[in-house]
């Protein structure tokens, strides 16, 4: 991580680095050498919001949620309700999710909250998220790809401690925009035998 004392200098350094990446791509690809202005223009176009960001923006607003959790395979489900608010930031480049709800913790109803940053990185062509909540102290980070119609995004989070065993494992998160007023989120944990255990569903 680089700490910049002067914001203008920091922005110039970031832009220069991006231009350098583009220059290397152009030269190695055997194409004509672009001017610095052309490379800067290409970098700006690459980092402008695209179709994927327009699709994300359709989720903006306040939603009511029905949440179902399974603590371990075969365990009875636990259900609760909550609210989710999605808001676009930084010119439509990112979607901020804030979630509030109640959860049964050992027979006691406990209020919890969570926050998520959703993104589509045009440089890598990957959808990404970073989740935090009041039930832990870590960050849950994943990346993935969308279906051909752009309605379903499947993310993978690798080499993180299992919620059931504590051993490193992989999680799969599936987000689906069904309609203008219905959206689902499912989470699965990869078990030691290679099967997927669904531990969460949010409607």
């Amino acid at each position: 991580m680089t700490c910049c004392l002067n914001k203008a200098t920091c922005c110039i350094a970031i832009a220069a680095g991006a231009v350098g990446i583009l220059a290397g791509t152009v030269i190695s690809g055997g194409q004509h050498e672009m001017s610095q202005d052309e490379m800067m223009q290409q970098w700006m176009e690459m980092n402008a919001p695209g179709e994927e960001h327009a699709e994300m923006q359709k989720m903006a607003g306040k939603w009511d949620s029905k949440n179902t959790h399974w603590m371990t395979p075969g365990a009875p489900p636990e259900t609760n309700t909550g609210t989710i608010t999605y808001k676009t930031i930084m010119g439509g480049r990112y979607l901020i999710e804030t979630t509030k709800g109640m959860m049964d913790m050992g027979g006691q109803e406990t209020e919890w909250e969570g926050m998520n940053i959703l993104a589509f990185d045009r440089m890598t062509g990957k959808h990404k998220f970073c989740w935090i909540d009041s039930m832990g102290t870590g960050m849950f980070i994943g990346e993935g790809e969308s279906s051909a119609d752009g309605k379903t995004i499947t993310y993978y989070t690798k080499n993180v401690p299992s919620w059931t065993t504590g051993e490193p494992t992989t999680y799969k998160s599936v987000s689906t925009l069904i309609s203008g007023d219905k959206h689902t989120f499912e989470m699965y944990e990869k078990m030691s035998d290679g099967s997927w255990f669904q531990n969460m569903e949010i409607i």
Side-chain angles (χ1 to χ4, degrees):
M1 179 179 291
T2 301
C3 180
C4 298
L5 298 179
N6 183 286
K7 291 184 178 179
T9 302
C10 187
C11 290
I12 291 171
I14 293 171
V19 169
I21 292 171
L22 288 172
T25 302
V26 170
I27 293 171
S28 64
Q31 303 175 26
H32 75 280
E33 187 174 350
M34 292 191 297
S35 68
Q36 188 168 350
D37 287 343
E38 288 175 324
M39 286 186 286
M40 181 61 73
Q41 180 62 32
Q42 184 172 332
W43 177 76
M44 291 176 65
E45 291 175 357
M46 177 65 74
N47 287 282
E51 294 180 6
E52 294 83 2
H53 300 91
E55 195 68 27
M56 282 197 311
Q57 291 176 31
K58 294 179 181 179
M59 294 175 61
K62 188 173 182 179
W63 301 68
D64 295 319
S65 66
K66 177 183 177 182
N67 314 317
T68 304
H69 304 267
W70 294 267
M71 297 302 293
T72 58
E78 298 179 6
T79 61
N80 55 74
T81 59
T83 59
I84 303 174
T85 301
Y86 293 98
K87 179 182 178 181
T88 58
I89 61 170
M90 299 187 184
R93 288 172 172 81
Y94 304 95
L95 195 66
I96 295 290
E97 170 190 350
T98 53
T99 303
K100 292 185 178 182
M102 301 296 293
M103 183 175 292
D104 186 348
M105 299 292 291
Q108 181 176 353
E109 285 290 304
T110 303
E111 186 177 16
W112 71 279
E113 59 181 335
M115 178 179 291
N116 199 16
I117 300 177
L118 297 157
F120 177 76
D121 187 343
R122 295 188 66 190
M123 285 288 191
T124 63
K126 298 286 188 179
H127 289 269
K128 300 183 179 184
F129 74 81
C130 178
W131 169 268
I132 57 174
D133 60 47
S134 60
M135 306 299 287
T137 57
M139 291 183 172
F140 197 70
I141 300 171
E143 72 170 28
E145 299 178 349
S146 67
S147 57
D149 61 6
K151 301 296 183 183
T152 299
I153 304 172
T154 302
Y155 304 91
Y156 290 92
T157 302
K158 300 179 179 180
N159 297 319
V160 293
S162 163
W163 294 342
T164 57
T165 67
E167 297 296 322
T169 190
T170 297
Y171 284 88
K172 177 171 65 175
S173 306
V174 182
S175 175
T176 305
L177 185 61
I178 296 175
S179 65
D181 61 359
K182 188 173 183 181
H183 166 251
T184 63
F185 178 84
E186 301 166 326
M187 182 173 286
Y188 302 83
E189 177 183 340
K190 193 170 187 178
M191 308 304 287
S192 58
D193 62 1
S195 63
W196 290 100
F197 156 56
Q198 183 175 4
N199 56 25
M200 183 187 302
E201 177 188 64
I202 300 176
I203 300 175

